[in-house]
Amino acid sequence: MPRPALDLGKFGNVVRAASLLDGQAQRAGEQVAQWVPEELAGRIVELCGGRASSALTMAMGLVYRVQRQGEPAAWVSAGDATFFPPDAALGGIDLEALPVVRVRDAHQAARAADKLARSGAFGLVVLDLGEGASVPTPLMRRLQKWAEAHDTALLCLTHRPAEAPSLSSLVSLRGVAGRERTGEDRFSCRIEVTRDKRRGAGWSFEEVCCGPPGLR
């Protein structure tokens, strides 16, 4: 997975901050939306994009920031969905402080996330749901309840195209992850927000990252 360019080996170095799109003027004093734990706390967030997108990089960037803030994060993988631990460690992730749960499918992943979020011990729980994921609405409601009760960010990674339906109507923020090579070893990793129940859709977030040796 690509890692940020200017802070070699570390996630979370923002090269370009979030910007509002579609001609929406930022009002004076209004805080600019960013892809940071504070923005996502207490919400169910869906990040769409397959293995060739920047979804894993952006998710790991959040894990990095949460760990830097001294809060625990957890990772739940369904099926074959997973990350490459050496890349995560190279990016500054403390793997010893990152519980990883591997289960068979999205339903089991959501049930595992339910237990993790219910504990109130985590600032961030990532659900890497893989291909064709679906989660029953009652289970999504429980996840929403725990996210709001404990100010936990629940990030669901789905391998869906942008035009596909959302994982759930309970998703508070939905983004589409993409990446573009901008240099020999650099990639522009971008999230286009298509749903935001707090701020409204239409903003984006971008980071320039160095790719791992396999992508250079």
Side-chain angles (χ1 to χ4, degrees), residues 1 8 12-13 54 56 84 148 151 156 171 175 181:
M1 70 191 73
L8 296 178
N13 184 21
S54 62
L56 272 180
F84 189 51
E148 292 175 352
D151 219 20
C156 302
V171 168
R181 185 185 290 271

Side-chain angles (χ1 to χ4, degrees), residues 12 24 30 50 55 62 172 175:
Q24 297 183 33
E30 183 180 24
L62 284 179
S172 175

Side-chain angles (χ1 to χ4, degrees), residues 57-149:
T57 299
M58 292 305 201
M60 277 298 174
L62 284 179
V63 172
Y64 176 78
R65 291 178 174 93
V66 166
Q67 289 187 335
R68 295 264 292 185
Q69 293 170 358
E71 287 198 76
W75 193 284
V76 183
S77 291
D80 295 332
T82 187
F83 61 89
F84 189 51
D87 277 357
L90 192 63
I93 301 298
D94 182 355
L95 293 176
E96 293 187 357
L98 180 66
V100 176
V101 181
R102 299 202 63 180
V103 294
R104 185 179 59 200
D105 55 31
H107 192 177
Q108 290 186 353
R111 290 177 65 86
D114 178 41
K115 295 182 184 300
L116 293 167
R118 181 185 304 180
S119 73
F122 297 93
L124 170 68
V125 178
V126 180
L127 293 81
D128 193 355
L129 298 175
E131 303 282 351
S134 66
V135 178
T137 298
L139 192 46
M140 290 295 290
R141 287 201 182 98
R142 291 214 300 272
L143 293 175
Q144 181 188 42
K145 174 183 174 182
W146 302 131
E148 292 175 352

